[in-house]
Amino acid sequence: MRKQVLIAGGGIGGLAAALGASRAGWEARLYERAAAFSEVGAGVQLGPNVVRRLQAWGLQRPLQEVAAFPGRLQVRSALTGQELAVLPLGSTAVERYGAAYATIHRADLHGLLLAAVEKYTDTQLHLDQAIDRFTDADGVVTVRTSRGKDVEGDALLGADGLWSRTRTQLLGEQRPRVSGHLAYRALVPQHALPKGLRTRQVTAWLGPRLHVVQYPVRRGELQNLVVIVQGPAPQDLENWDHSANGADLEAALLGTCTALQQAVRGVVDAGGGWRLWPLCDRPPVRGPAEMARGVVALLGDAAHPMRPYLAQGAGMAIEDAAELQRALSMHDLDVPLRLTRYALNRWQRNARVQARSTRNGRIFHATGPVRWARDVSLRLLGERLLDVPWLYRGDGSSASSL
């Protein structure tokens, strides 16, 4: 009889975990609080480390059908518009790291994972049901769903996001850390923009206390823009209105170059709108016990929510799921030891990405002499500063052993 894993959360991490667990020979039951699978409109960058994992799951063709594959990453000054540095992507990324650098609509990434789960696994998908709590005794985990039903399994995976109930019960009440950064996000059809505002590359604009990222998604048909500024978050972080005031955004960009202001103004001119998110994270993971205890493990944002300044939030969740697949396949080990192996092989890499993401945010938003030194360094060293070999080459799968 196959072992059964219960999964809290049906986002990118939860679906990837279901796919990995099923490939490890487990039966998966996934519980999603929402009444229907959906992902809000936003872009996601996938480095070669993540694309290789999707390829290993046989998802290269579905990825090619929905993603964009930018030819380069360009860094520009938000104040002058001057190009500071360039990192070649496209074929260069394939040659260096064995896979492309992709940019994708979050809903498209979620959709291709959901299609793979439905087509290639026998995962039971339970919508409009959350896992509210669990008990762990004698190697069996029992969950209570939001419908009052008790379900038993051999393991529980918490993939229920930043406000994870699984995490709270496993590790205690630890509220996410408010970053002081606000993200304005927009998606706009490229055909609705003037030709001069369309893009086929990733562009990062760096300015004092702010930065902007733009890139194509959905085969290049849409442009994703993210403007991150410093400011106070709403008091109610879990329940609030995401609509954003375009005038507030334009005010935040006063003093930036004309080219950047035109790119941002083009969203509204093309009939698009802005949505606002306060960015939260947690301190870097401090050890394997923060990712797995007994027959319960955490992955993705439930384990290591991070700031988006290394573009690896979704990527680390997918890498987690890949390592879970390897760990769950070790049928000669008992389940707690398998999950311990998973945590040992993931926590340091996740902690490093979390720390680097926070550090990047400080560099992106630098002011005064630090900003000047950053710009000079980018002009002189360019590609060497932008490339991240330690990240793109690996996935943490051989970080430790038992």
Side-chain angles (χ1 to χ4, degrees), residues 152-396:
E152 291 185 351
D154 298 288
L156 169 63
L157 303 180
D160 41 350
L162 178 68
W163 300 94
S164 168
R165 294 187 180 185
T166 311
R167 179 194 177 98
T168 296
Q169 186 173 346
L170 187 68
L171 304 181
E173 183 68 43
Q174 304 165 334
R175 288 184 63 82
R177 181 172 64 179
V178 178
S179 71
H181 292 183
L182 303 174
Y184 290 82
R185 303 181 188 272
L187 279 165
V188 60
Q190 298 239 50
H191 69 77
L193 295 170
K195 287 187 177 181
L197 297 182
R198 301 173 193 175
T199 187
R200 299 174 63 88
Q201 66 180 14
V202 181
T203 301
W205 307 75
L206 307 185
R209 306 182 191 280
L210 65 88
H211 77 282
V212 180
V213 181
Q214 60 182 137
Y215 52 83
V217 298
R218 193 165 288 169
R219 300 171 295 274
E221 297 164 14
L222 300 176
Q223 182 176 149
N224 181 76
L225 292 97
V226 184
V227 181
I228 297 181
V229 301
Q230 296 179 199
Q235 290 188 345
D236 185 359
L237 287 171
E238 292 188 75
N239 303 286
W240 63 287
D241 184 2
H242 290 267
S243 61
N245 186 326
D248 291 344
L249 178 56
E250 290 195 22
L253 294 176
L254 286 176
T256 60
C257 66
T258 301
L260 175 56
Q261 293 195 34
Q262 287 177 338
V264 171
R265 197 173 296 119
V267 171
V268 176
D269 292 344
W274 293 93
R275 304 284 281 173
L276 181 62
W277 276 263
L279 299 180
C280 299
D281 68 352
R282 294 184 185 275
V285 181
R286 294 173 296 181
E290 289 194 355
M291 291 193 64
R293 297 184 182 184
V295 294
V296 182
L298 304 174
L299 75 154
D301 282 352
H304 44 73
M306 59 189 66
R307 302 181 192 186
Y309 310 141
L310 200 54
Q312 284 286 326
M316 290 300 102
I318 290 170
E319 282 192 9
D320 284 349
E323 182 56 38
L324 273 166
Q325 177 180 336
R326 285 185 281 264
L328 295 178
S329 299
M330 297 175 181
H331 301 295
D332 54 334
L333 302 180
D334 63 22
V335 173
L337 199 54
R338 296 186 217 185
L339 296 183
T340 298
R341 174 65 178 268
Y342 153 74
L344 283 168
N345 279 352
R346 288 299 302 162
W347 79 269
Q348 289 175 308
R349 180 167 170 86
N350 285 321
R352 186 178 185 183
V353 173
Q354 285 177 289
R356 181 62 70 88
S357 298
T358 300
R359 173 176 172 267
N360 278 2
R362 293 194 294 268
I363 294 171
F364 292 174
H365 289 207
T367 61
V370 176
R371 178 179 67 84
W372 178 85
R374 177 202 66 199
D375 291 356
V376 170
S377 298
L378 284 168
R379 291 189 193 100
L380 292 175
L381 300 175
E383 184 176 330
R384 289 174 58 188
L385 290 181
L386 298 180
D387 203 4
V388 198
W390 66 265
L391 177 63
Y392 296 151
R393 284 200 180 112
D395 64 2

Side-chain angles (χ1 to χ4, degrees), residues 78-100:
L79 297 183
T80 67
Q82 181 183 18
E83 181 179 276
L84 301 175
V86 170
L87 174 68
L89 300 174
S91 60
T92 301
V94 176
E95 292 167 5
R96 286 180 182 172
Y97 302 117

Side-chain angles (χ1 to χ4, degrees), residues 7-11 30-39 110 125-131 146 159-160:
I7 301 173
L30 184 149
Y31 295 84
E32 165 56 38
R33 179 179 302 278
F37 283 116
S38 64
E39 279 286 347
H110 187 271
L125 302 174
H126 301 276
L127 295 174
D128 199 20
Q129 287 190 69
I131 291 178
S146 55
D160 41 350

Side-chain angles (χ1 to χ4, degrees), residues 10-27:
I12 288 169
L15 290 173
L19 187 59
S22 296
R23 288 176 174 252
W26 286 55
E27 179 183 337

